[in-house]
Amino acid sequence: MTDRVETSAGAIERAVAALRSGGLIALPTETVYGLGADASNDDAVRRVFEVKGRPSDHPLIVHIADATQLELWAASVSPTAQLLADAFWPGPLTLLVERSSSVSPVVTGGRPTVGIRVPDHPVALELLRAFGGGVAAPSANRFGRVSPTTAAHVIADLGNDVDVVLDGGPCRVGVESTIVDLTGDVPVVLRAGGVSVDRLEEVLGHSVEVHVSAEPSNAGARASGMLEAHYAPNAKVVLATERELVEVMIGVLRSASGPVGLLAESSLVGLPEDIVELEPAGTADEYAAVLYSRLRQADRLGLAVLVCVPPPAVGVGLAVNDRLRRAAASS
Ligand code: TXA
Ligand code: MG
């Protein structure tokens, strides 16, 4: 039975006890909710893969309480890793580093590298400090589905498979962390996320490579763990710029087998009637924060197609564009 706890007294203790006994917890972070297990307990980590329905060679991110623990998980801490950790942790940045020999290959999907981050959420931090160890956690959704940004989303997806759900309210950022691979000669962004490429370059003092692709066939071997190319609702997702919107809408309306919805930054005029207009998503930051809720809403409304007008692909808008393209590619 899932022990649904709010932020009540004793909630953290119950979650820590669950982790210590090899159980699974859901924890709020600033990006999305995670499905967590004790990263040093192979059986518990295997359960995460099972519950999520995720192939066992897709590595998990290890969440830690603060940057000083990085040396426990990384084979060595490079000046670049230290610089980025100091600048962005706690925060939506995952560092990919060579793993230390004590990190279980079950967590890393057999790879020599491990993804590490310190989440910026008071409940997650309180939990990690009380637990003391690392928590291996993918997003708390079934494999390939839309990531959860509220405790209710987690319960709807994973229900009784989680022992304790910590409710930390809606996630502030709303899209996953930026993943930076530090194992090569230059830092490479493998997933656009809550930390913008501009901010990374500002802190590093030079440009970074960005290998972010919504096309699975273009993903290189290093990024093969990124093939979770879905983030997809049941509704078919169709992308359109504001200029081509009316034309796209008319085409979609002609062929759709059910209701057609629209998600855009702002309210638009001159649209065909009988379009189900979802509440506008707002600026790029706001768009990121509400994106996954809106995709879930499209399914609740039984939409056959959701036409989305992405925000400009700058700042966190890059991550929103990436997720929308993946959703469109897999629907
Ligand atoms: O914001 C986030 O990062 C959230 C919260 C819960 O922290 N977590 C998250 O985890 O998005 P997940 O498992 O849904 O996505 C992690 C991505 C996966 O595509 C995985 O393959 C990749 O990171 N990844 C993790 N460790 C890796 C490694 N050692 N090498 C290559 N890719 C890795
Ligand atoms: Mg995920």
Side-chain angles (χ1 to χ4, degrees), residues 245 262-268 278-282 287 307-310:
L245 182 61
L262 171 71
L263 177 62
E265 285 181 285
S266 53
S267 217
L268 301 168
L278 302 186
E279 193 187 328
Y287 207 130
V307 178
C308 298
V309 181

Side-chain angles (χ1 to χ4, degrees), residues 168 179 252 279:
I179 299 181
V252 165
E279 193 187 328

Side-chain angles (χ1 to χ4, degrees), residues 188-192 209-220 223-231 318-319 321-327 329:
V188 179
V189 174
L190 294 183
R191 180 174 72 183
E209 282 182 37
V210 182
H211 294 182
V212 176
S213 172
E215 302 299 324
S217 56
N218 291 345
S224 63
M226 303 293 300
L227 291 187
E228 197 177 341
H230 326 285
Y231 301 93
L318 182 66
N321 275 264
D322 171 77
R323 304 307 186 271
L324 284 173
R325 268 184 303 152
R326 287 172 197 273

Side-chain angles (χ1 to χ4, degrees), residues 26 28 32 68 88 95 98 107 137 169 188 203 218 240 263 282 290 313 325-326:
V32 301
T68 62
F88 293 107
L95 300 180
E98 306 286 347
V107 171
V188 179
V203 166
N218 291 345
L263 177 62
V290 301
R325 268 184 303 152
R326 287 172 197 273

Side-chain angles (χ1 to χ4, degrees), residues 16-28:
V16 168
L19 289 174
R20 295 229 161 97
S21 62
L24 302 189
I25 63 160
L27 75 160

Side-chain angles (χ1 to χ4, degrees), residues 144-146 230-237 295-296 298-299 306 327 331:
R145 307 303 305 178
V146 177
H230 326 285
Y231 301 93
N234 295 323
K236 179 178 163 62
V237 172
L295 295 183
R296 282 169 187 265
D299 285 346
L306 179 65
S331 61

Side-chain angles (χ1 to χ4, degrees), residues 183-225:
T183 62
D185 295 336
V186 292
V188 179
V189 174
L190 294 183
R191 180 174 72 183
V195 169
S196 71
V197 172
D198 285 354
R199 284 284 294 131
L200 281 173
E201 293 183 335
E202 217 173 284
V203 166
L204 289 167
H206 59 79
S207 60
V208 296
E209 282 182 37
V210 182
H211 294 182
V212 176
S213 172
E215 302 299 324
S217 56
N218 291 345
R222 272 162 107 198
S224 63

